[in-house]
Amino acid sequence: MVLRKYLAQATGRPQWSPALFDMGSFLEAVSGMRRGGAVELLFMLHAAHREVAGARAQPLDAFLQWAPVTLRDMSEVDQHLLDLDSLYRQLSSYEGIDAWSSRLDGPSAGMERWFGHWLETGALHRAMSERMLAAQVGTAGAVARAAAGKAMGGGITWPWEAVWFAGLNALEPAPTAVVKAIQEAGKAELAWDTDHWYLDDQGQEAGRYLRRSMSALGAGGIPPRDDIRSAARSIDIVAVPDPVAQAAWAAQHITEMTPQERAHTAVVLADEQLLMPLLEALPVDIGPVNVTMGLPLTALPIHGFTECFLDLHAGHAPDIGFRLSDAERLFSHAMVSQGYDAQALISAWRSAGSASLGADRIIAAWATIISPHVDRLTSALRPVADPVMDLPERFQALFSWAMAFAQDDPLRREQLYRMARSQAALDNELKRHAPGPLGMETYMVLRDRLLREERVDLVGEPLSGLQVMGLLETRAIDHAQVVLLGASEGVLPRAEGEQSWIINEVRRSHGLPLHHDREAITAYHVTRLLHAVETLVVAHPADASGEQPGPSRYLAQWAHELPGRSATRISFSTCHAAMPVRRAPGIAVAKQGQVLERLEQLLARGLSPSMLANWLQCPLDFYFAHLMGIQKADELDGRLGSDVLGEAVHHVMEEVYRPWMGVQMEGRVLSDLADRAHDLLVGRLRRTIPNATLQCGQHRLRVEMAAHAMARHARSEAQAVSVRHTVAIALEKVVAGELPNGIRLKGRIDRVEERDGLIHILDLKTGGVDGTALKLKTLGREGIRGEHAQALQLLIYVWAFLQQNPAIPEVSAAIIPLRQHSSADGVPLVVEGDTRIHRNKLPGITDLLVRLVEELRDPALAITHTEGSRWCRACLKD
């Protein structure tokens, strides 16, 4: 639209408009292939999987646990024109090919499984490539590889007299090859959109990909700007209370502008979830607004409504009907409940006192209380035997029924229309490709994959009035005023990266992008905002409470680099909402009567280190968990719990170390543990969990990660024991001691080792640990807080161990966090600047423990919640 505007102004007469492409559609035109939809490609990949795996092929539900990530990896590999044989050969041999050659007994079962997995993935990729070429449908990467193949093969007749490439930034090798071929044919012109500020500075990540592309394709026909350095601008950075408050603040800021100012203003949403709050906050008389972005269908109410509908049918049992809770959620959803008295309907259902109800009861209550559209509702509620065959009719009836309540709401009607269209596309794909009957769970996974691609576009008058757009669209603007919302860390840049099975070492060696490479792309789009802007106003959620991620690092970078080196002025301010603070009264439990009695009973039995640490973190959580016996309920979600996995890891480590009690540990034992970690861990878990469950989904992922962490730690320890004398002298050692006030403390140490003459107390954790939380600057009460809970537990182990072993002058204590990359020594406990804890510190430790216990039993101190505690399990937090 912008290009057509300037072409019309330049010529002043009617003319044929040039063909306009984005890079994706241009590569489709060159290759002759079409980019397939997510579900279409997944079915194609499953067919290739059945071809390659044969009798070992997984059913669709198990296949979907790993296929989307695999498909994304394949597309990325094709975009970078990697040789499949070389890539998958390296992946299959990574992590231990040298170690295998030194083993007399050959690779372990776990190694062979890893080796075979990547070989099979390579065969799968080749089979998928053949299918995509035959169908002329592919992933974005496959389309790009095919286009590059045609372009580099020569002999192609380009249908254009000239091709302009404008505004490009991060070009992968495949599209770079296509552009290069058109250059060599004398038909390519390039126009880079860049500025000397970040292009010339090798340290600026915003120019990383432009420097690479310009090195490969040339400087182009338009010289870089020098606006960031020379043009005057102001950047006003405003902190607002929370993410949604950004929308209210921006609406007020925009309202205060004149119509002429709004016509030259663009609102850029780094967080697309702010679109609806912003549009709702803008006054109806704000004037023309052009929204060039949209919202994912999954972020709109219609998605939740259809999920409720699927949950209703998924929970249906032939003998008892639908779950009442599912029916209540569906009929009280905002997509439909505004059209009738939902509460009266629900009350009629509840009057029977049953947790379930049949379709006849739902319809009867509906006909009695509300009555319209009974036939549509009856069709929607007919039980589903096969999702593929039955759900299309049920959804059609549901949308027809819901549309009757959306006649006066254009946005709801648009949502229903888009969802109905997406549903029809899914139904068609399933009928064409589904290999046999599907269960409801598999159907819902496929449906989720399709809906991720669907968006509801909201548009207004192009290039007129206020412009609202996403971050990726900022290349099309040169507005004098820009309002940027969502400029918080974790959004700019995104905290999470795309999932991939290809490990970083291999990605790096083959030039595949890493997380910091994706951040460089975001850096370009953010820095691009500075090109022509005169006033840039940036809003981000404040982080004063520690609950928000804080402002984007790009803002700190601007504040550091721009003032004094450019004509840019930067200011910071905070916007507070003038609202009264209303808080529910906190819970305070007095230590009297039965509470004090239970507390003394607990103290008489003795305290564990974890109990005292729990009191240190939050007394109210301690009260609920240990005095009232209220524990956090286990979530029966079919996932592998951290407690189960942690117990299995501890058992495996104990079985390896126990035969070597009292003798010098040998590195070969630990190297063997590293090689067999996966098999040992799976073998332990199989005692309570079926093997089929362990081989797929979340179970498989967590087991693989835990086994990898165990192997990494075992290799680190194998190197350590080769250069020092290491003897395990105790496993799961129970230690206890009595304080001067008669209270007994008792705990269990995972492992006690003697390393070159010094005793080390080791606590194994399957999670991570913050090293700063294991540092106690002083043994005074004022020096220990809730975040020092793990340090307190280690301190109690040390205190009890030294009391039981009076001949030992000093010890060291540490936590070994398997999740983190740490040395074999672990993360040490540091007391008053020393990792060695001498016996002369026992009086100070004793005084600290007595002080904590006396606080625990002091009747004058009520039991309350620790403000800001992040560790509570049972506590009722504000």
Side-chain angles (χ1 to χ4, degrees):
M1 184 60 67
V2 177
L3 177 60
R4 288 193 175 105
K5 169 189 171 183
Y6 285 111
L7 284 174
Q9 290 178 354
T11 60
R13 57 182 174 79
Q15 63 176 353
W16 289 108
S17 177
L20 300 177
F21 301 96
D22 60 21
M23 182 53 76
S25 60
F26 180 72
L27 293 175
E28 286 182 324
V30 172
S31 67
M33 293 179 67
R34 170 179 63 83
R35 181 175 176 179
V39 173
E40 179 183 14
L41 292 171
L42 282 172
F43 277 124
M44 189 180 293
L45 183 63
H46 189 236
H49 168 64
R50 295 200 306 272
E51 173 189 330
V52 170
R56 295 179 294 104
Q58 294 180 346
L60 191 60
D61 54 350
F63 166 83
L64 290 174
Q65 299 289 331
W66 53 267
V69 177
T70 300
L71 194 64
R72 187 184 302 116
D73 282 343
M74 290 178 177
S75 179
E76 197 169 45
V77 167
D78 287 334
Q79 281 276 17
H80 287 75
L81 301 177
L82 299 184
D83 179 74
L84 301 189
D85 292 334
S86 172
L87 173 69
Y88 290 109
R89 185 167 54 249
Q90 182 176 355
L91 283 167
S92 66
S93 62
Y94 186 82
E95 280 205 8
I97 195 67
D98 293 333
W100 297 352
S101 63
S102 65
R103 289 171 53 96
L104 297 178
D105 55 348
S108 67
M111 292 177 178
E112 290 178 344
R113 180 172 52 253
W114 182 258
F115 186 84
H117 161 74
W118 283 116
L119 290 180
E120 189 165 293
T121 303
L124 177 63
H125 193 158
R126 284 183 282 270
M128 180 64 175
S129 298
E130 292 173 2
R131 286 178 175 271
M132 289 188 292
L133 286 173
Q136 290 294 282
V137 175
T139 62
V143 171
R145 187 190 279 270
K150 283 189 176 182
M152 293 186 298
I156 186 172
T157 301
W158 301 103
W160 308 284
E161 294 182 9
V163 182
W164 275 87
F165 295 95
L168 302 179
N169 174 31
L171 282 177
E172 293 88 355
T176 299
V178 173
V179 178
K180 189 73 173 175
I182 299 176
Q183 273 187 322
E184 293 172 353
K187 298 191 175 212
E189 297 287 345
L190 289 101
W192 305 105
D193 186 11
T194 184
D195 190 284
H196 283 294
W197 177 268
Y198 54 86
L199 181 65
D200 300 344
D201 185 351
Q202 297 295 317
Q204 287 280 357
E205 61 180 344
R208 180 186 305 167
Y209 282 102
L210 278 167
R211 288 189 290 270
R212 186 183 75 177
S213 296
M214 294 173 75
S215 175
L217 300 172
I222 299 178
R225 303 169 179 245
D226 198 22
D227 290 348
I228 296 180
R229 191 187 316 274
S230 60
R233 72 180 56 78
S234 65
I235 301 177
D236 301 318
I237 300 173
V238 182
V240 298
D242 57 66
V244 177
Q246 296 173 95
W249 172 86
Q252 179 63 36
H253 180 74
I254 294 166
T255 302
E256 294 171 356
M257 296 178 180
T258 66
Q260 292 74 22
E261 288 174 329
R262 283 196 290 270
H264 296 89
T265 297
V267 180
V268 178
L269 304 181
D271 183 358
E272 63 182 10
Q273 301 296 328
L274 293 175
L275 177 58
M276 291 306 296
L278 175 66
L279 295 180
E280 292 175 358
L282 288 173
V284 294
D285 59 349
I286 197 68
V289 176
N290 178 36
V291 182
T292 63
M293 62 182 295
L295 272 180
L297 205 56
T298 53
L300 292 170
I302 184 62
H303 179 250
F305 178 64
T306 53
E307 291 288 295
C308 289
F309 182 67
L310 287 172
D311 288 341
L312 180 74
H313 278 290
H316 180 269
D319 298 333
I320 60 176
F322 300 104
R323 290 191 294 253
L324 177 60
S325 58
D326 292 336
E328 290 180 357
R329 286 197 304 123
L330 176 66
F331 283 82
S332 60
H333 196 280
M335 284 295 298
V336 291
S337 63
Q338 299 175 18
Y340 54 80
D341 188 350
Q343 191 55 50
L345 186 66
I346 292 171
S347 297
W349 294 339
R350 291 181 178 177
S351 62
S354 174
S356 59
L357 68 168
D360 54 344
R361 277 186 52 205
I362 296 177
I363 298 300
W366 177 269
T368 302
I369 298 173
I370 298 157
S371 77
H373 319 296
V374 174
D375 55 338
R376 303 176 191 176
L377 186 57
T378 301
S379 297
L381 295 180
R382 288 173 55 200
V384 173
D386 179 1
V388 175
M389 302 307 298
D390 297 340
L391 273 176
E393 181 185 352
R394 308 296 186 276
F395 266 117
Q396 185 178 5
L398 176 75
F399 296 143
S400 177
W401 173 69
M403 188 66 78
F405 303 104
Q407 296 304 314
D408 299 326
D409 190 332
L411 181 57
R412 275 200 286 169
R413 292 201 309 273
E414 181 69 14
Q415 292 180 61
L416 285 165
Y417 165 73
R418 291 301 184 97
M419 185 61 77
R421 190 179 69 174
S422 299
Q423 194 63 50
L426 173 63
D427 295 335
N428 290 335
E429 290 293 334
L430 288 174
K431 288 177 180 177
R432 284 201 308 159
H433 300 292
L438 294 181
M440 183 65 80
E441 182 177 350
T442 303
Y443 176 89
M444 293 172 75
V445 171
L446 285 168
R447 184 174 182 274
D448 178 67
R449 296 298 310 175
L450 173 69
L451 294 183
R452 290 182 193 181
E453 299 181 336
E454 290 297 313
R455 304 180 70 86
V456 173
D457 297 320
L458 305 172
V459 297
E461 185 65 27
L463 303 179
S464 175
L466 180 72
Q467 304 293 302
V468 180
M469 60 185 62
L471 184 66
L472 297 182
E473 299 162 288
T474 55
R475 290 169 295 178
I477 65 170
D478 278 322
H479 287 71
Q481 298 188 80
V482 174
V483 179
L484 173 63
L485 302 184
S488 57
E489 194 67 19
V491 177
L492 287 180
R494 293 285 180 188
E496 70 282 355
E498 292 184 342
Q499 288 183 301
S500 173
W501 300 125
I502 303 175
I503 55 179
N504 282 347
E505 287 82 356
V506 175
R507 297 184 70 88
R508 187 178 292 108
S509 68
H510 284 272
L512 293 172
L514 302 171
H515 184 63
H516 68 271
D517 296 315
R518 296 187 177 94
E519 290 182 351
I521 297 175
T522 303
Y524 169 75
H525 290 292
V526 175
T527 310
R528 169 65 179 76
L529 291 171
L530 302 178
H531 278 196
V533 69
E534 298 174 4
T535 302
L536 173 60
V537 184
V538 182
H540 67 84
D543 62 340
S545 66
E547 297 179 358
Q548 303 294 342
S552 168
R553 62 180 171 86
Y554 297 124
L555 305 185
Q557 182 178 350
W558 288 348
H560 175 71
E561 296 179 349
L562 292 173
R565 298 176 58 200
S566 70
T568 299
R569 178 191 62 81
I570 300 181
S571 66
F572 294 85
S573 61
T574 301
C575 177
H576 295 289
M579 298 178 63
V581 177
R582 299 183 61 188
R583 300 183 61 175
I587 299 175
V589 180
K591 294 177 189 169
Q592 59 186 9
Q594 290 186 348
V595 173
L596 196 56
E597 181 180 340
R598 288 184 179 180
L599 180 58
E600 291 300 329
Q601 290 173 354
L602 179 64
L603 293 174
R605 294 194 299 268
L607 291 175
S608 69
S610 61
M611 285 182 182
L612 197 56
N614 191 198
W615 168 265
L616 178 67
Q617 291 172 326
C618 178
L620 189 60
D621 190 36
F622 171 90
Y623 166 77
F624 283 122
H626 301 295
L627 297 184
M628 298 297 293
I630 301 174
Q631 299 291 340
K632 181 179 179 181
D634 293 333
E635 296 184 9
L636 302 177
D637 56 1
R639 294 174 175 267
L640 178 58
S642 296
D643 54 343
V644 176
L645 184 60
E647 181 182 2
V649 170
H650 275 78
H651 276 291
V652 170
M653 300 292 282
E654 182 181 354
E655 289 174 0
V656 171
Y657 275 88
R658 189 162 297 283
W660 292 86
M661 291 284 293
V663 297
Q664 165 71 24
M665 174 60 73
E666 296 183 6
R668 63 178 179 83
V669 177
L670 295 167
S671 296
D672 182 65
L673 168 60
D675 294 340
R676 299 193 303 128
H678 182 277
D679 295 335
L680 291 173
L681 184 57
V682 171
R684 182 72 195 185
L685 290 168
R686 280 177 183 166
R687 300 183 183 185
T688 55
I689 301 173
N691 184 56
T693 303
L694 293 173
Q695 295 303 317
C696 64
Q698 186 258 4
H699 283 73
R700 178 175 180 177
L701 179 61
R702 295 211 66 188
V703 169
E704 296 285 351
M705 291 173 63
H708 182 75
M710 289 173 61
R712 183 178 62 230
H713 171 69
R715 292 191 183 99
S716 178
E717 284 212 271
Q719 294 177 353
V721 301
S722 66
V723 296
R724 71 183 179 205
H725 184 77
T726 303
V727 177
I729 61 177
L731 295 172
E732 298 297 321
K733 180 175 179 58
V734 176
V735 291
E738 187 171 304
L739 295 170
N741 57 11
I743 303 302
R744 185 172 176 80
L745 300 178
K746 183 173 70 173
R748 187 186 300 271
I749 303 174
D750 288 340
R751 190 163 81 236
V752 181
E753 288 184 357
E754 180 184 341
R755 298 174 177 173
D756 292 337
L758 179 64
I759 299 298
H760 289 258
I761 293 172
L762 303 175
D763 191 19
L764 185 68
K765 301 288 188 186
T766 54
V769 63
D770 180 3
T772 60
L774 293 184
K775 295 179 180 179
L776 298 177
K777 295 181 179 179
T778 174
L779 287 173
R781 177 64 181 90
E782 70 282 356
I784 188 166
R785 299 180 298 276
E787 59 265 29
H788 297 123
Q790 290 178 326
L792 177 62
Q793 292 185 57
L794 286 179
L795 199 65
I796 295 174
Y797 293 148
V798 169
W799 172 81
F801 183 85
L802 288 176
Q803 282 201 338
Q804 289 183 340
N805 299 272
I808 296 177
E810 62 181 2
V811 299
S812 176
I815 291 177
I816 298 177
L818 293 184
R819 184 185 298 175
Q820 298 173 206
H821 290 272
S822 64
S823 68
D825 296 336
V827 183
L829 171 66
V830 181
V831 178
E832 296 178 336
D834 198 348
T835 58
R836 292 190 175 212
I837 305 172
H838 196 272
R839 182 171 293 277
N840 60 19
K841 285 189 168 64
L842 277 180
I845 299 175
T846 301
D847 290 343
L848 172 62
L849 298 179
V850 168
R851 179 77 177 273
L852 289 171
V853 171
E854 291 306 320
E855 288 179 9
L856 175 60
R857 70 195 312 184
D858 187 356
L861 294 177
I863 301 174
T864 58
H865 171 66
T866 298
E867 189 70 28
S869 172
R870 305 190 301 274
W871 302 278
C872 299
R873 296 163 298 166
C875 188
L876 301 177
K877 292 180 259 190
D878 294 342

